[in-house]
Amino acid sequence: MIIIMNNEVTDAQIDAVAQRLKSWGLDSNVSRGVERTVIGAIGDESKIDKELLQALPGVEQVIRVMKPYKIVARSYHKEDTVIDIKGIKLGGRQIQVIGGPCSVETQPQMDEAAKYVAAAGCRLMRGGAFKPRTSPYTFQGAGVEGLEMFRKAADRYNLPIVTELMDVRQIDAFMKYDVDVIQIGTRNMQNFDLLKEVGRLHKPVILKRGMSATISEWLMAAEYIAAGGNHDIIFCERGVRSFETYYRNMLDVTAIPVLKKETHLPVIIDPSHAGGKAWMVPALARAAVAAGADGLLVEMHPNPCEAWCDADQALNPQELVDLMGSLKGIAQAIGREL
Ligand SMILES: [Mn+2]
């Protein structure tokens, strides 16, 4: 950490900073320039309370040198992490498309959806049983019953299931139905108590980006999960809130190479919640794969016009088949496979 002192700094103030650093077990290196004095803190930066330093007289600015995240950082683990989900590898050469409806509605709807997801060549299935809806008066999800319907439908095609966890009180039900991948939604990205709890579980976690979260905040949210012992974390970019109103969110494709540089963990894209319209999904999905995403989370409903949630952004079964076909070519062009 580097501490920059203001230009009227006194020797006593410099000494006070050095003493404070010493109390945390760090040495200091004072460098006096013509106009500025800079103090370098030498030792374990994690012991430093940045705010406490900033509050000391004579201190102008405190700059961190080390990244605040550790386990999720590329520097901690050089190789790409490949997550094994019931034998299906996410984060390796093969790109995974997780298809399925926004929400679990009925058993026949889930049976149909699973059939089409498998037929399109997807190896994992999505579906929400607990739904974070903007309005309390809209469909809130089928709940535990939904998990049961989802499990039953997906098992017939050996599809591991991905579903959103909203509250720690739902964890027992998630374990009972052996949910394969737990999704933490955009609204819960910084629900730290929830992150700590999933950090204790032995289940892969998809951590969606908060709708206005910076990449650094997102990485720190993942660090919460990793710090608990669960290192099977998948980042999912789903569009950030912007000034534009034409589409639901703005897909941040730039986040893919940035995350690939900062973390060893897999990165997937949700083009459905980014665009918010089914016709935008193929273009966004192709951009994501071309930019290096390890997978996609795509909404597909057997009959989108009848969907209880996010109807206008769901692909129909044939559109999912077509999308898989066009993604295959892109995957090959960049040395990957679908
Ligand atoms: Mn949805």
Side-chain angles (χ1 to χ4, degrees), residues 60 67 92 105 122 177 203 222 253 267 289 294-295 308 313-314:
E60 186 167 292
K67 301 225 160 104
E105 298 163 10
C122 302
Y177 291 101
K203 292 276 185 192
V253 178
V267 180
V289 170
D294 298 299
W308 296 1
Q313 70 188 34

Side-chain angles (χ1 to χ4, degrees), residues 100-103 126 128 131-133 164 183 208 248 270 272-273 299 309-311 313:
C102 179
S103 59
R126 60 148 293 143
K131 300 300 300 174
R133 302 302 302 278
E164 178 166 353
Q183 180 183 311
K208 283 203 163 189
R248 187 168 174 181
D270 176 347
S272 308
H273 289 87
E299 289 193 344
C309 178
D310 286 350
Q313 70 188 34

